[in-house]
Structures are given as structure tokens and as C-alpha cells.
Amino acid sequence: MTTPVPHFTEPTTHYWQQLLPADAAPAPTPPWRHGVPATLPDGRVLMLPIRQMADDPGLAVASFLCNQASLDVVDELGRLLAERLAPLAPEVVIGLPTLGLTFAPLVARHLGHARYVPLGYSRKFWYDEALSGAVQSITTPTGGKRVYLDPHLLSLVQGKRAVVVDDAVSSGRTLLAPWTMLESIGVQVAAVGVAMRQGNRWRDTLGPERAARVVGVFESPLLRATDEGWVPRD
């Protein structure tokens, strides 16, 4: 197999480690080389590395992996996300695996909750398939995974006004099945909160009514290659 020639990409070692003031960040306009500046609600900037797609090196994403980010960046993004979800006054915070479980406890704590409810990929022997849904994401396109709610936690979410927390939304397929499952058992999903909203394909997957309830801290474009660097694509 031929390895694609890297096009204005670089290692991610130094990315996601700090938030930059707006006057110290690179220009927000494309074409971008190596990194894309994502603007936060307060004007600060988080640089996102550019990652070429394996099946088409002419396409790329501006990536965010919170488990490789500095603790200060993760804490601050959790605080900003909680700030945006606070007006909804949720009774419970539900975290989606895997990286949504990084932000869910931060959001819950900032909202004044003593706990949160995690969903998981690992099926314990006492789990019920009715409390699960199939998921697929842009970074794990092979699918085959299911997300589960522990039946022992059902009483904590059933009939409650909830916010669901994940690290990012891109295709929307990771959110669709668990969202449907939660609503089928009587959870009132007031919003889904994510650190990063990537592109716009998730809007079509979720539909307009659900898409309007997706709250994000920053936006991240899908990209296509040009001779000068990378520019946004649909």
C-alpha cells in the first residue's frame, strides 16, 4: 500500500496544550497550513491539527482529542460547556463513551450536581439489549459497537430532564442511536453538549429538531486540499 504524501500536516505533540488570546493566534481565514484556529465563545483560540483522511488524502479534518489535551484546556472547555448548558437547568448529566466521559463529570460538577450517569461500550452480563444502541463514528467507521445504559441506573434518568455530553459531533452517527434509546425510555433530552461541532453533516443525520438542540463550545471545519494549504468543504 502506498503511503499518501503528507499535505501541510504535522505531529500533534504540541497541539491542544493551551488556549491562545485572540491577538496571539494565527489568522482565522483559510487556506490553513498544519493547524486551524478554533475560536471559543470568549474569543480565545484553540489550535486544531489537520489530519488527512486515510481513504482520500485530498480531504482532512481539523481534529480534537481531549485525552491528549492539557488538563487546563480540558477543564476550561468543560467549564465553558457547562456555562452554555446551565440555562437549561438539567436534572441529570449523561456522558457518552468514550471521550464524552472526560467532559460529563466536569459539566456535572460545574452545574452543581453530585454525580453524572455514564453510558458505556462494555456489556456486563446483567445488561439489557433494550437499553442499548448501535453507534458508528468518523474515527471508527467499521461500526459494530453498541452503547449501553446500566439497568441499575435507569431510575436516575427515566422521566428526567437531561443533557447528554460528548466530546464532539461530526457525522452524528455516534449520537443518533443513544439519543433515540434515551428518549424511548422516557428521558427528556434538553440538549446534547459537545466541545467540538465538526462540519455540518451531523445536522442531516440528526434532523433539524434534534440538531437545534446540539450545543457546542467551538466549530471545526471539514477540509479539502489546495496547492496553498487547506480550505473548508461541505
Side-chain angles (χ1 to χ4, degrees):
M1 180 180 296
T2 303
T3 302
V5 177
H7 180 70
F8 294 114
T9 58
E10 63 183 358
T12 60
T13 311
H14 64 283
Y15 282 91
W16 315 308
Q17 301 307 302
Q18 60 180 325
L19 300 177
L20 302 173
D23 58 4
T29 54
W32 297 295
R33 298 184 174 187
H34 306 300
V36 175
T39 303
L40 307 186
D42 60 9
R44 288 178 294 174
V45 171
L46 180 65
M47 289 301 300
L48 306 177
I50 294 169
R51 281 286 161 262
Q52 287 172 273
M53 303 301 291
D55 57 348
D56 188 344
L59 303 179
V61 295
S63 174
F64 175 62
L65 293 175
C66 65
N67 60 349
Q68 296 182 21
S70 72
L71 300 179
D72 287 345
V73 165
V74 171
D75 286 346
E76 188 63 2
L77 293 177
R79 184 190 69 80
L80 290 169
L81 183 54
E83 194 174 81
R84 305 204 75 184
L85 293 170
L88 300 173
E91 297 173 276
V92 62
V93 175
I94 300 172
L96 294 186
T98 300
L99 297 181
L101 301 183
T102 297
F103 287 110
L106 299 175
V107 169
R109 185 180 294 276
H110 281 297
L111 292 178
H113 294 199
R115 67 184 299 176
Y116 74 102
V117 173
L119 303 188
Y121 290 135
S122 176
R123 191 194 191 287
K124 310 303 181 185
F125 69 84
W126 62 88
Y127 280 16
D128 183 345
E129 287 296 311
L131 299 180
S132 73
V135 298
Q136 185 177 352
S137 73
I138 190 173
T139 53
T140 55
T142 55
K145 293 193 298 187
R146 298 189 71 82
V147 64
Y148 294 89
L149 170 68
D150 188 325
H152 294 151
L153 302 180
L154 181 60
S155 63
L156 298 179
V157 300
Q158 200 164 36
K160 301 293 178 62
R161 180 177 176 83
V163 291
V164 178
V165 173
D166 205 355
D167 64 320
V169 59
S170 182
S171 68
R173 293 192 296 268
T174 298
L175 287 180
L176 186 60
W179 194 333
T180 299
M181 181 270 288
L182 289 169
E183 289 188 334
S184 75
I185 61 174
V187 179
Q188 303 168 37
V189 179
V192 169
V194 296
M196 178 177 73
R197 301 197 302 185
Q198 188 175 66
N200 287 300
R201 291 180 299 170
W202 54 273
R203 297 180 184 275
D204 292 333
T205 301
L206 298 177
E209 194 276 331
R210 282 179 171 172
R213 286 185 274 163
V214 176
V215 176
V217 177
F218 63 86
E219 308 292 326
S220 166
L222 303 177
L223 304 168
R224 62 177 176 85
T226 67
D227 290 342
E228 294 76 27
W230 296 93
V231 298
R233 64 179 172 95
D234 293 332

